[in-house]
Amino acid sequence: ETGVTQTPRHLVMGMTNKKSLKCEQHLGHNAMYWYKQSAKKPLELMFVYNFKEQTENNSVPSRFSPECPNSSHLFLHLHTLQPEDSALYLCASSQGLAGNPDTQYFGPGTRLTVL
Amino acid sequence: EDQVTQSPEALRLQEGESSSLNCSYTVSGLRGLFWYRQDPGKGPEFLFTLYSAGEEKEKERLKATLTKKESFLHITAPKPEDSATYLCAVRAGNTGKLIFGQGTTLQVKP
């Protein structure tokens, strides 16, 4: 595996389900990110982790719960989602926030549909 | 407020017809401007990072330039495989947060 991988690629869930998205980076990076991409809207940052510590929570509802057990893995736990949460969820990684300009590299995304 | 605006929203070109995409930004303390290409249903693919006004980067038919207020992505003699959405983003401060524009969807017809 190379770059940033995400699983599953597609997910359909009901509003009462609990599911998790997984991201793994094979680039030796220290920072990881979750983004949400809805139709006709710009990419929206959700969370930032730097050396496993959360450094940014962009006012994300508590039904989205991130977890970063180490610098290579990032999870997004989902529970009691709403239909408006349907979107493409993208994971990214970068060398580390102290770097300049610290380019972010993205995974292929998980297409989430909430029924 | 930090902001990124891309224009046009959509662009249709004939194969070989050169053009430019614009990214205007307002940010305090720019720490990098990034161009990405995104194909439908896929994650953004990194193209360029620009950091200083006057900087230019090239890759095949693409050339990115940066001023203090905007960046241009010039496409020379495009081919149908250049069809995609091109995203511009800026990084401000030390948080790692990227602020994205809405993107320009480019269609190149043979």
Side-chain angles (χ1 to χ4, degrees), chain B residues 45-89:
Chain B
E45 175 190 344
F46 170 70
L47 293 174
F48 302 109
T49 301
L50 301 168
Y51 184 61
S52 305
E55 192 174 358
E56 298 183 353
K57 296 249 178 103
E58 283 189 69
K59 180 180 178 181
E60 296 180 353
R61 295 177 292 282
L62 300 177
K63 179 180 177 180
T65 62
L66 179 65
T67 72
K68 289 188 177 180
K69 293 184 177 180
E70 58 191 349
S71 176
F72 291 93
L73 184 65
H74 306 280
I75 304 176
T76 302
K79 297 182 177 181
E81 53 262 42
D82 294 322
S83 298
T85 295
Y86 290 85
L87 303 173
C88 172

Side-chain angles (χ1 to χ4, degrees), chain A residues 36 38 61 63-64 80-89 112-114:
Chain A
K36 175 183 179 181
S38 303
R63 56 186 184 270
F64 295 91
T80 58
L81 294 190
Q82 305 298 312
E84 59 265 29
D85 297 322
S86 298
L88 182 68
Y89 288 85
L112 173 66
T113 303
V114 182

Side-chain angles (χ1 to χ4, degrees), chain A residues 34-86:
Chain A
W34 280 116
Y35 285 87
K36 175 183 179 181
Q37 189 174 34
S38 303
K40 305 298 183 184
K41 289 185 179 181
L43 266 80
E44 181 182 352
L45 179 70
M46 300 175 73
F47 303 102
V48 180
Y49 279 83
N50 195 41
F51 291 93
K52 303 189 298 177
E53 298 296 321
Q54 188 180 121
T55 58
E56 181 101 7
N57 177 336
N58 200 27
S59 303
V60 180
S62 59
R63 56 186 184 270
F64 295 91
S65 175
E67 178 190 0
C68 188
N70 54 61
S71 291
S72 298
H73 295 86
L74 184 64
F75 296 89
L76 188 62
H77 304 297
L78 316 171
H79 62 98
T80 58
L81 294 190
Q82 305 298 312
E84 59 265 29
D85 297 322
S86 298

Side-chain angles (χ1 to χ4, degrees), chain A residues 9 33 35 37 40-43 45 48 55-56 58 88 90 97-108, chain B residues 31-34 36 38 41-46 48-51 87 91 93-102:
Chain A
R9 295 294 311 279
Y33 311 78
Y35 285 87
Q37 189 174 34
K40 305 298 183 184
K41 289 185 179 181
L43 266 80
L45 179 70
V48 180
T55 58
E56 181 101 7
N58 200 27
L88 182 68
L90 292 159
L97 299 188
N100 224 3
D102 197 35
T103 299
Q104 295 180 23
Y105 296 88
F106 285 81
Chain B
R31 291 195 63 186
L33 184 141
F34 305 85
Y36 291 87
Q38 187 174 26
K42 296 188 176 181
E45 175 190 344
F46 170 70
F48 302 109
T49 301
L50 301 168
Y51 184 61
L87 303 173
R91 180 187 179 199
N94 296 325
T95 66
K97 181 175 182 177
L98 286 186
I99 301 163
F100 279 85
Q102 289 263 24

